[in-house]
Amino acid sequence: MSLFGSMNRMVTITINKNQYLAEEGEIFLLTAMRLNIDIPHLCYEKALEPYGACRLCMVDVVTCGKTTMTPACTIKVHNGLEILTDTPEIIKHRSLLFELYLAEAPKSEVVREMAAKYGVTKTRFLKKIVHDDPLLGKCILCGLCVRVCNEIMGTCAINFINRGPYTVINTPFFEQNPDCAGCAACAQVCPTNAIVFDDRGSNRIMQSWSHTTVPLATCSSCRKSFAPEKLMQKVLNNLEPEIIEEIRTLCPECRRKLITRKEVGKIPKS
Amino acid sequence: MRIQTPEDLDSVRKNGLKKIQPGRPRIGIGTSSCGIAVGGIALYDRINEIVQNENHDISLVKTGCIGFCKEEPIVSVSIPGKALVLLRKVHQEDAEKVISLALQGDVPSDRVLCKISDWDHITGNLVYGNGFDSIPEYEEIPFFAHQKKVILRDSGLINPEDIDEYIGIGGYFASFKALTSMEPDAIIDEVKRSGLRGRGGAGFPAGLKWEITKKAPGEEKYIVCNADEGDPGAYMNRNEMESDPHMLLEGMLIGAFAMGVHEGLIYIRAEYPLAIERLMLALEQARLYGLLGKNIFNTGFDFDIRIATGAGAFVCGESTALAASIEGKTGRPRLRPPRLTEKGVFGKPTDLNNVETWCNVPVIIAKGASWYSSIGAKGNTGTKVFSLVGKVDNVGMVEVPLGTSLHSIIYDIGNGGALGREVKAVQTGGPSGGCIPVRLFDTPVDFENLNKVGTMMGSGGLVVMDEDTNMVDIARYFINFASGESCGKCVPCREGLKHMLLILNRIVAGKGTHEDINLLKELSETVQKTSLCGLGQTAPNPVLTTMQYFLEEYDDLISPEA
Ligand SMILES: Cc1cc2nc3c(=O)[nH]c(=O)nc-3n(C[C@H](O)[C@H](O)[C@H](O)COP(=O)(O)O)c2cc1C
Ligand code: SF4
Ligand code: SF4
Ligand code: FES
């Protein structure tokens, strides 16, 4: 089956009593999404190992007639896999989890919309109100920002603080953290858009992270501020020295122009 | 001196025996945490002072805990040729009397608990002697009579700070036999046939876990001892380490050899300073004798054990959180699989066993699988140590064959409620367990039967509740504990337990409604079903069981207007 351009074997799986072909070894959550079978989820990110923290993607795995609730993001597709995604039991637990999220992140539109889509529009639980919450009452502690910062960027600028219901995410001691590169990858992955930052003049201010201030590089050609300096250094360190020298101080736009000019220059004039 | 030959071992044994029975009066002071808490060290110091100053011919040692914590400080007096006598509640003021009587071959009659004429250390037998006709035998004291001591066989009788005494009653002979005359696979087979199941709570067959670890690919592997023991009311493991640390080390040595592992770790909470101190000392002494380190017993086998201390988080008892904590990371559980046997500490295959699981190993090797499996019940072999606490008359450390009924433990051994109060229920398994009402006290204590009534074995805490205990308040206490100990990774546990606590607070304050009770039940079920690790999955048990067995106590707290 080269239909999906994949090297993996195609196997037969059963979802809600219907049979489908699926790629062996694929994360079941992705399979289901591709097959338009709807499973809510908030903490899965392709670039990272499954984390299984949001618990919204829980489905029933059927083995020998017995069912076990398991997060869909942690199941790998194999031949004969049988899954139920919408039993009354699952819907019941999922709805209650949504109620918990509505209470935990009362300001999050994403959560509100997702919950509403599954029929949950209000919560019976006391809403969490935190004054001056750096994450605007939107954080659901999925941990994606921490993991992207630590595992992908290798920065470790933010982490979980405290534990249990007192867990929050921020920089150590809630102080500006010089380790932060200002890459804003955290804000990119945050499923609830909880992380705020702002570019002001020649600085990027990570408001959510104790207002960590990161200087931006200024383009030597057009004089505009573009990427955080530290991030630029990090990226450039991975390139060949000659290339670095040419583009070190250019913003993406000026860089593009330079490279285009060079490439055009290479075309033999006929 | 390094012990390499059977002769070496035997000469240390003889020497150790001489320390236990020195041919002059020997006084042992119960100095486990329970004894120390009520003045054990002060008593030891006072007796020591007198013995030194007056140059008495008396041997004074620290011992562990014989289990009857209610009667601590317990003092053992053994006079050559006579039965060993246990004295109860001995304090500093009694020091002079104890010494002068001991020198005359006697004991203070107003402090007498019982006598021991001979003792089965299982790995060895000790005959003390007779005499003291008016003093009851150990077996005649109900608290002791219904117990069977396998794990606690040495507790309170030997000096835990002296390896010679452990060897004196046959310690390290099992490891000598295992390393010098058994194939590793035969050891695993013996443990499998013994039926030993993990004592950390889940009851996973120990031999099978060893086999899986052994078969896991890779050269570098670890064995780990889980000494995190965080359940409120449970202190079995602490006592095992404080009273007989070499039993644990020997168990790990045998396990390491069987699995072909060269590095062992004991993960222990920093709140157990005495256990850590005695383990450190035990490790040092074992290394000096060559029982740890390179080329143990001249077999070419290398193994050593290090201690990793935790900051006392309950969740760090969970296997994956424990591994993270050892690696220096935050103790947060991760998804399983992969299990530790596949990807454990520092990513290497790891066998994790509870303290008491390891402690069972030396006797299994010494006496054989069929001897072991004849104790206890089918599928639940061996004994289990429980800490019997709460509103029970006889508080202490209790060891019984698995399958013994709750009734026998609480009434025959525990003598029922404290201060003559009526017992109402018992909580087993700590924050993960449930509350069982008196009418179900016929339940045999084993892994499956406890599950059937909605609770679990856990590591072995038994908290007794009497007629004055409010069961809703008990549920509230445990949810408060679990919520405070939740790592915060997954929403049902982090947020769900918090809201359960808020609802319970409301109910206990008399401000709850019937809707609150329903919501509490609904929430309990979701937390149980959707949490990531065992902490969240089991945390609602105290609520669910108190609702199942004591619902009227919830209803009573709802005001009629609500
Ligand atoms: C929240 C939690 C706490 C635990 N605490 C302990 C503990 O303190 N000691 C322990 O031996 N096992 C504890 N366990 C069980 C361990 O994860 C593991 O199953 C056990 O140590 C395995 O050893 P065993 O097979 O010898 O029982 C805990 C489990 C959970 C989920
Ligand atoms: S800030 Fe966003 S990404 Fe980070 S834990 Fe909260 S919800 Fe997840
Ligand atoms: S169940 Fe609780 S302790 Fe376990 S991972 Fe979830 S939040 Fe952490
Ligand atoms: S996406 Fe699967 S648990 Fe969050």
Side-chain angles (χ1 to χ4, degrees):
Chain A
M1 280 279 201
S2 57
L3 198 58
F4 300 98
S6 138
M7 302 295 285
N8 281 342
R9 194 160 76 98
M10 296 308 284
V11 293
T12 309
I13 63 174
T14 312
I15 309 175
N16 301 331
K17 312 269 182 220
N18 298 319
Q19 293 205 333
Y20 300 90
L21 277 179
E23 199 180 302
E24 189 170 45
E26 190 183 30
I27 300 276
F28 174 73
L29 179 66
L30 297 178
T31 312
M33 279 159 68
R34 196 160 30 73
L35 295 168
N36 282 326
I37 294 163
D38 202 36
I39 299 172
H41 57 95
L42 281 170
C43 74
Y44 183 73
E45 162 62 47
K46 259 190 199 171
L48 295 161
E49 287 289 302
Y51 191 57
C54 78
R55 313 311 280 172
L56 281 174
C57 70
M58 302 267 292
V59 295
D60 267 334
V61 182
V62 189
T63 23
C64 312
K66 273 185 36 185
T67 58
T68 350
M69 272 184 83
T70 315
C73 63
T74 67
I75 302 168
K76 292 229 172 96
V77 167
H78 58 85
N79 197 24
L81 179 69
E82 189 180 346
I83 301 280
L84 298 169
T85 69
D86 55 1
T87 66
E89 183 92 343
I90 288 170
I91 292 169
K92 184 182 88 180
H93 293 309
R94 189 194 278 167
S95 304
L96 203 67
L97 293 182
F98 273 126
E99 281 194 67
L100 290 174
Y101 277 126
L102 286 173
E104 181 176 42
K107 296 280 169 57
S108 164
E109 303 85 23
V110 175
V111 169
R112 218 176 307 142
E113 276 165 30
M114 191 186 278
K117 186 171 153 202
Y118 293 90
V120 182
T121 50
K122 52 179 197 291
T123 175
R124 288 168 286 176
F125 304 114
L126 192 69
K127 287 186 184 160
K128 181 154 125 192
I129 312 278
V130 180
H131 293 289
D132 302 322
D133 182 359
L135 295 166
L136 312 173
K138 296 181 179 181
C139 175
I140 50 118
L141 291 166
C142 68
L144 278 173
C145 52
V146 174
R147 295 195 301 137
V148 159
C149 183
N150 294 2
E151 292 168 32
I152 299 200
M153 302 310 296
T155 312
C156 302
I158 49 170
N159 215 319
F160 298 99
I161 299 172
N162 305 327
R163 69 176 180 210
Y166 304 104
T167 313
V168 291
I169 290 170
N170 219 302
T171 51
F173 309 107
F174 299 95
E175 286 167 4
Q176 289 208 23
N177 188 350
D179 288 345
C180 174
C183 69
C186 49
Q188 250 326 291
V189 290
C190 177
T192 61
N193 308 321
I195 301 164
V196 237
F197 69 95
D198 197 10
D199 289 351
R200 278 189 218 147
S202 59
N203 285 321
R204 170 167 291 177
I205 298 163
M206 304 301 297
Q207 278 135 328
S208 294
W209 308 142
S210 311
H211 293 85
T212 295
T213 303
V214 186
L216 294 172
T218 308
C219 176
S220 56
S221 168
C222 71
R223 294 277 138 212
K224 266 192 276 186
S225 296
F226 59 105
E229 263 171 15
K230 257 208 219 129
L231 181 68
M232 282 302 290
Q233 279 163 16
K234 240 184 182 172
V235 174
L236 292 173
N237 281 345
N238 292 333
L239 297 179
E240 284 165 41
E242 310 91 77
I243 308 181
I244 296 176
E245 271 325 301
E246 277 188 355
I247 63 169
R248 170 181 293 280
T249 56
L250 295 178
C251 73
E253 195 149 327
C254 298
R255 204 180 306 148
R256 198 154 48 237
K257 283 183 191 155
L258 173 83
I259 291 171
T260 313
R261 269 200 304 275
K262 280 188 150 187
E263 291 300 313
V264 170
K266 280 187 203 157
I267 300 171
K269 296 203 174 80
S270 53
Chain B
M1 171 208 158
R2 289 178 60 88
I3 296 174
Q4 295 195 322
T5 62
E7 293 74 33
D8 294 346
L9 193 57
D10 208 51
S11 87
V12 178
R13 185 185 63 83
K14 288 194 181 117
N15 188 29
L17 255 183
K18 252 192 231 134
K19 289 184 176 180
I20 301 173
Q21 299 186 320
R24 54 190 171 133
R26 162 165 150 136
I27 299 178
I29 317 288
T31 52
S32 280
S33 292
C34 48
I36 292 174
V38 285
I41 289 290
L43 173 65
Y44 177 89
D45 288 344
R46 180 76 189 114
I47 294 189
N48 194 29
E49 189 187 338
I50 301 173
V51 170
Q52 297 290 324
N53 286 349
E54 303 179 9
N55 223 346
H56 291 308
D57 193 21
I58 282 181
S59 141
L60 174 68
V61 291
K62 291 179 181 171
T63 64
C65 163
I66 194 125
F68 211 165
C69 303
K70 178 195 179 187
E71 304 287 6
E72 292 276 2
I74 290 179
V75 168
S76 59
V77 178
S78 85
I79 288 151
K82 285 192 169 182
L84 175 133
V85 179
L86 295 179
L87 305 175
R88 52 184 281 272
K89 294 198 170 158
V90 184
H91 293 287
Q92 253 173 299
E93 318 68 273
D94 308 309
E96 277 174 51
K97 196 164 60 175
V98 171
I99 294 171
S100 63
L101 285 172
L103 290 168
Q104 297 163 35
D106 205 354
V107 292
S109 53
D110 58 337
R111 287 284 182 270
V112 159
L113 180 62
C114 63
K115 67 175 175 204
I116 293 171
S117 303
D118 53 73
W119 187 260
D120 184 5
H121 280 281
I122 299 181
T123 51
N125 220 42
L126 275 194
V127 178
Y128 285 101
N130 297 313
F132 299 120
D133 293 339
S134 59
I135 298 178
E137 283 282 353
Y138 170 90
E139 294 82 12
E140 292 172 66
I141 304 295
F143 178 79
F144 294 126
H146 299 270
Q147 297 195 45
K148 175 157 182 71
K149 297 211 170 180
V150 174
I151 298 301
L152 301 181
R153 61 188 180 276
D154 308 331
S155 279
L157 294 170
I158 66 165
N159 177 359
E161 297 182 358
D162 189 346
I163 188 172
D164 291 352
E165 295 203 5
Y166 180 71
I167 296 176
I169 38 87
Y172 286 108
F173 278 74
S175 53
F176 189 86
K177 170 177 159 188
L179 267 67
T180 56
S181 70
M182 289 175 82
E183 285 298 318
D185 284 337
I187 298 171
I188 294 184
D189 197 47
E190 198 74 24
V191 175
K192 274 167 99 177
R193 281 190 300 117
S194 75
L196 174 64
R197 295 172 66 175
R199 299 299 196 239
F204 191 84
L208 184 59
K209 205 192 281 183
W210 288 18
E211 185 174 71
I212 296 170
T213 308
K214 179 167 195 176
K215 286 191 177 149
E219 276 305 304
E220 225 180 305
K221 293 176 192 177
Y222 291 94
I223 62 169
V224 179
C225 167
N226 190 342
D228 191 54
E229 195 169 50
D231 313 18
Y235 62 105
M236 304 75 49
N237 291 167
R238 184 190 74 200
N239 182 61
E240 286 148 9
M241 294 181 289
E242 287 178 355
S243 294
D244 201 4
H246 286 285
M247 174 175 54
L248 167 61
L249 304 192
E250 189 182 7
M252 291 181 75
L253 170 59
I254 296 170
F257 178 72
M259 287 177 261
V261 174
H262 306 286
E263 271 194 84
L265 291 162
I266 299 174
Y267 182 81
I268 181 167
R269 53 176 46 224
E271 286 95 326
Y272 280 180
L274 181 63
I276 294 174
E277 191 187 308
R278 290 197 173 152
L279 282 172
M280 297 281 233
L281 196 62
L283 288 173
E284 213 174 287
Q285 294 176 352
R287 283 186 200 119
L288 277 178
Y289 276 150
L291 304 172
L292 291 174
K294 297 256 177 253
N295 191 22
I296 299 167
F297 297 133
N298 208 16
T299 56
F301 179 68
D302 306 336
F303 175 64
D304 210 333
I305 298 174
R306 280 179 298 162
I307 290 182
T309 47
F314 175 61
V315 71
C316 286
E318 195 276 343
S319 55
T320 58
L322 182 145
S325 177
I326 289 180
E327 292 167 12
K329 299 180 188 147
T330 319
R332 292 182 132 218
R334 62 155 171 79
L335 294 168
R336 282 182 305 174
R339 304 193 165 276
L340 291 204
T341 44
E342 198 183 322
K343 204 165 181 261
V345 179
F346 299 112
K348 310 286 181 216
T350 300
D351 171 81
L352 174 69
N353 281 119
N354 171 259
V355 174
E356 202 176 313
T357 314
W358 290 116
C359 289
N360 271 287
V361 175
V363 284
I364 292 174
I365 298 305
K367 305 282 280 186
S370 33
W371 173 86
Y372 186 88
S373 60
S374 69
I375 306 168
K378 194 158 186 288
N380 282 275
T381 56
T383 58
K384 176 81 194 84
V385 181
F386 293 96
S387 50
L388 185 60
V389 297
K391 297 188 169 176
V392 63
D393 187 27
N394 288 338
V395 170
M397 195 62 39
V398 166
E399 182 171 4
V400 289
L402 281 171
T404 305
S405 72
L406 282 168
H407 187 278
S408 172
I409 298 175
I410 291 157
Y411 291 97
D412 299 341
I413 298 173
N415 195 33
L419 307 168
R421 296 268 203 299
E422 213 46 61
V423 171
K424 176 155 90 180
V426 65
Q427 214 271 351
T428 81
S432 312
C435 299
I436 311 168
V438 160
R439 67 182 157 84
L440 293 177
F441 275 15
D442 284 340
T443 308
V445 180
D446 64 36
F447 291 102
E448 285 71 26
N449 276 300
L450 287 179
N451 282 349
K452 266 188 218 153
V453 294
T455 180
M456 58 185 279
M457 181 83 85
S459 48
L462 290 179
V463 186
V464 177
M465 284 136 204
D466 71 10
E467 50 190 324
D468 296 341
T469 315
N470 181 293
M471 300 310 281
V472 185
D473 200 37
I474 289 294
R476 199 199 69 85
Y477 168 82
F478 279 109
I479 295 301
N480 186 33
F481 177 86
S483 174
E485 294 292 326
S486 158
C487 83
K489 180 167 178 173
C490 69
V491 77
C493 174
R494 176 182 71 234
E495 288 296 306
L497 291 177
K498 178 182 91 183
H499 290 293
M500 284 174 70
L501 180 61
L502 290 175
I503 297 171
L504 281 160
N505 281 341
R506 222 156 46 220
I507 297 176
V508 171
K511 292 183 183 147
T513 62
H514 290 289
E515 258 157 59
D516 279 331
I517 296 185
N518 292 337
L519 183 57
L520 184 61
K521 178 135 198 288
E522 206 183 310
L523 191 50
S524 297
E525 284 163 2
T526 297
V527 173
Q528 194 178 43
K529 271 278 158 47
T530 60
S531 287
L532 188 154
C533 86
L535 192 152
Q537 286 160 7
T538 57
N541 285 346
V543 170
L544 288 168
T545 49
T546 47
M547 280 193 163
Q548 184 180 354
Y549 300 122
F550 302 96
L551 190 58
E552 66 287 354
E553 294 196 24
Y554 283 83
D555 288 334
D556 285 350
L557 285 167
I558 307 296
S559 78
E561 302 100 77

